[in-house]
């Protein structure tokens, strides 16, 4: 059985302008791979209603699950929750369960739960809250879309909250072979090995170090014996 | 007149599996912003013909220019050039101008220009070559799509080759104001300033340092006087 599939939507003008370097994609990719879920596509979009809604609707239809990052804070440019509600035609307003979480959190520090902070309790009908152990304001899951914060520490904590709830597949097995020759010399025999093992994903990632060329050959799949055999075939040719 | 728009397609299973952390998106975003081109969307896709072709066709139609990264090396998993040709229904084979560049490059080091390396001279009909001062194998431009390497040093050199050929817009002016208060306290007045200056893009990027909350307010636009006025309005409220 093929692994479950996933897509991610990174939301934020600051990523597209080059102001901020996204790190959430790399984190989620590694986490999903570790539980046997194949991340198939990532889209980075700006803070625009139409673009976000279209991306959510398209990807939620194609992939088993979707993960979003960004746009759920208290300021005017935080529009993700409203876009998710619109994408699934759900009513959205401040919800009591989310408000209670915020009220308890801010009471501890004597911070006022003002109108802006209450925006973070806007949760669509039928959504399930996602725990935020860092700064309380919850994410949520609606249909197959998991809506999470953009701040990396919060995003990563939310991913940790969500991961045990996901149905993973067979965790991908991965082995890497380093070959200290130029990719142009590796490519011919490597292509033959790739054809011999069509069920494996074989990638070649070239590097240059101290003026010498080489490549890391990464072989991934679910069948450990086939991976070992393919690695053995390459070692016989190149080492 | 609005700025020209752009999209990027990052191609490679290694990004989606979490093996490799992409850095090309952040680099391109900053470079395009510096010449007044608005990067509006990025898609990260795997090494699959159908997915790559669909992304190229969709984005090339919507945005003024498209930039791709990855998949133009000599190995079997390098399929980008063929996908671009297919996306625009162009014939592709080893082209004499690209072969001459490779022949000259490999002659210098006494390296054989074998069949695998010749794959890097596969260029679609009607495409213009993009100079690669790092490792010779060229990128290319077909229609409004710029096809570049995934290795960051090569990608960045190709971006530098391409940038002077692009028609930029008014370079975006950006000013940042640091406010040492929680976003929840900033959000209300900030939203009012955002409504007062609808032509400006105003973003709030929270941080937490040494247990204290704050946010960087980034105001971007083409009108320096309006940006100064908005910054002044915020300073009056918060500083």
């Amino acid at each position: 059985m093929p692994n479950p599939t996933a897509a991610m939507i990174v939301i934020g003008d600051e990523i597209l302008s080059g102001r901020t370097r996204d790190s959430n994609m790399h984190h989620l990719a590694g986490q999903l791979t570790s539980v046997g879920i194949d991340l198939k596509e990532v889209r980075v979009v700006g803070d625009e209603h139409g673009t976000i809604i279209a991306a959510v609707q398209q990807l939620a239809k194609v992939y088993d699950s979707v993960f979003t990052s960004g746009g759920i804070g208290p300021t005017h440019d935080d529009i993700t929750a409203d876009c998710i509600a619109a994408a699934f035609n759900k009513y959205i307003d401040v919800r009591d369960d989310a408000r209670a979480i915020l009220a308890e959190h801010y009471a501890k520090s004597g911070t006022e739960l003002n109108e802006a902070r209450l925006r973070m309790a806007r949760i669509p009908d039928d959504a399930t809250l996602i725990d935020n152990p860092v700064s309380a304001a919850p994410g949520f899951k609606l249909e197959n879309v998991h809506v999470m914060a953009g701040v990396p520490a919060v995003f990563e904590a939310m991913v940790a909250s969500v991961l045990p709830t996901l149905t993973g597949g067979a965790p991908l097995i991965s082995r890497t072979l380093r070959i200290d020759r130029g990719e142009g010399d590796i490519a011919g025999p490597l292509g033959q090995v790739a054809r011999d093992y069509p069920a494996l994903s074989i990638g070649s990632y070239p590097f240059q170090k101290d003026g010498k060329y080489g490549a890391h050959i990464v072989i991934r799949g679910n069948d450990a014996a086939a991976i070992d055999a393919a690695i053995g075939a390459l070692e016989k040719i190149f080492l």
Side-chain angles (χ1 to χ4, degrees), chain A residues 21-96:
Chain A
R21 184 189 292 268
D22 168 70
S23 70
N24 294 336
M25 172 170 84
H26 183 65
H27 178 79
L28 183 68
Q31 294 294 303
L32 292 178
T33 296
S34 75
V35 296
I37 296 175
D38 293 347
L39 181 62
K40 303 291 277 181
E41 182 172 349
V42 178
R43 293 197 190 175
V44 186
V45 299
D47 301 319
E48 292 174 5
H49 281 94
T51 319
I52 298 171
I53 293 170
V56 170
Q57 290 177 334
Q58 286 172 32
L59 297 176
K61 228 177 284 175
V62 176
Y63 300 105
D64 294 322
S65 53
V66 174
F67 301 83
T68 77
S69 153
I72 62 168
T75 56
H76 65 283
D77 54 339
D78 291 306
I79 59 174
T80 299
D82 286 84
C83 292
I84 303 290
F88 291 109
N89 204 18
K90 297 282 182 185
Y91 178 78
I92 182 169
D93 203 344
V94 171
R95 225 171 71 175
D96 288 342

Side-chain angles (χ1 to χ4, degrees), chain A residues 3-236:
Chain A
N3 283 348
T5 60
M8 178 183 191
I9 307 173
V10 177
I11 298 164
D13 287 346
E14 72 279 18
I15 313 287
L16 293 172
S17 74
R19 181 186 178 275
T20 302
R21 184 189 292 268
D22 168 70
S23 70
N24 294 336
M25 172 170 84
H26 183 65
H27 178 79
L28 183 68
Q31 294 294 303
L32 292 178
T33 296
S34 75
V35 296
I37 296 175
D38 293 347
L39 181 62
K40 303 291 277 181
E41 182 172 349
V42 178
R43 293 197 190 175
V44 186
V45 299
D47 301 319
E48 292 174 5
H49 281 94
T51 319
I52 298 171
I53 293 170
V56 170
Q57 290 177 334
Q58 286 172 32
L59 297 176
K61 228 177 284 175
V62 176
Y63 300 105
D64 294 322
S65 53
V66 174
F67 301 83
T68 77
S69 153
I72 62 168
T75 56
H76 65 283
D77 54 339
D78 291 306
I79 59 174
T80 299
D82 286 84
C83 292
I84 303 290
F88 291 109
N89 204 18
K90 297 282 182 185
Y91 178 78
I92 182 169
D93 203 344
V94 171
R95 225 171 71 175
D96 288 342
D97 51 353
R99 182 211 299 261
I101 292 170
L102 293 179
E104 190 192 334
H105 174 74
Y106 288 116
K108 279 183 207 155
S109 59
T111 306
E112 185 202 0
L113 181 50
N114 61 15
E115 194 187 342
R117 294 197 172 91
L118 262 183
R119 268 177 64 81
M120 295 189 286
R122 288 176 65 79
I123 305 285
D125 275 1
D126 302 328
T128 317
L129 299 187
I130 295 175
D131 192 33
N132 169 4
V134 174
S135 51
F140 62 85
K141 180 191 176 193
L142 181 60
E143 305 277 347
N144 61 341
V145 180
H146 302 77
V147 177
M148 299 182 286
V151 175
V154 182
F155 179 81
E156 293 171 17
M158 287 182 171
V159 170
S161 301
V162 162
L163 221 56
T165 71
L166 302 173
T167 304
L172 217 53
I173 305 161
S174 174
R175 281 192 63 185
T176 300
L177 180 70
R178 172 178 162 167
I179 302 178
D180 285 317
R181 297 169 66 173
E183 249 198 327
D185 290 325
I186 298 169
L190 182 67
Q192 185 55 53
V193 171
R195 284 188 293 277
D196 290 345
Y197 296 91
L200 302 179
S201 156
I202 303 186
S204 171
Y205 306 107
F207 62 82
Q208 193 182 354
K209 211 179 171 184
D210 306 328
K212 288 183 181 169
Y213 289 93
H216 290 108
I217 309 302
V218 180
I219 306 192
R220 295 181 302 138
N222 300 125
D223 179 349
I227 293 175
D228 288 345
I231 290 275
L234 289 174
E235 285 175 338
K236 207 171 150 190

